[in-house]
Amino acid sequence: QVQLVESGGGLVQTGGSLRLSCAASGRTFSNYAMGWFRQAPGKEREFVATISRSGDYTTYADSVKGRFAISRDNAKNTVYLQLNSLKPEDTAVYSCAARSWVISRTPDNYDYWGQGTQVTVPS
């Protein structure tokens, strides 16, 4: 089992920044690819970003490319999501997820999920 706990969400104005953190515990963190997903009210969960086990490879949704950055610190068992140039359409609950070995953009491929943290960007 892997337990994931997100933090860092909040209310921020358009153009602002936030840094989300996801702390993992339970199993060897470096064995897991990590992803960030988000879900807005009334919408399906969507892929945001993912990072390989070593952190060498990342990929992003087109909607956040160039504005968001995913990173990880395996020594601290933590994955981060830096959110810059925030827009009202970024408002959602952001969740981190873990899956064994390889990255994926598909939520169903992830084995473990955190509870989520709310990001709100008022229009």
Side-chain angles (χ1 to χ4, degrees):
Q1 287 282 352
V2 176
Q3 293 80 41
L4 302 171
V5 179
E6 300 95 336
S7 61
L11 188 150
V12 61
Q13 298 303 311
T14 298
S17 298
L18 283 174
R19 189 195 197 199
L20 307 183
S21 299
C22 171
S25 61
R27 293 204 174 167
T28 305
F29 181 65
S30 58
N31 284 346
Y32 293 87
M34 300 297 296
W36 282 97
F37 297 82
R38 67 187 182 184
Q39 188 166 21
K43 295 189 176 181
E44 301 234 339
R45 178 179 282 167
E46 66 170 346
F47 165 75
V48 175
T50 185
I51 188 167
S52 62
R53 289 175 291 146
S54 65
D56 289 343
Y57 186 78
T58 59
T59 186
Y60 297 90
D62 288 343
S63 59
V64 307
K65 199 174 295 183
R67 299 189 298 122
F68 292 7
I70 188 172
S71 61
R72 67 189 295 162
D73 185 337
N74 285 345
K76 295 183 178 179
N77 292 348
T78 302
V79 62
Y80 305 97
L81 186 68
Q82 179 68 41
L83 290 67
N84 298 324
S85 303
L86 282 160
K87 306 174 182 180
E89 51 263 44
D90 295 318
T91 295
V93 175
Y94 285 70
S95 299
C96 65
R99 75 181 301 259
S100 297
W101 303 116
V102 298
I103 63 172
S104 173
R105 292 173 170 245
T106 306
D108 287 348
N109 288 342
Y110 283 77
D111 303 305
Y112 304 102
W113 290 84
Q115 83 289 349
T117 185
Q118 176 72 46
V119 172
T120 302
V121 188
S123 56

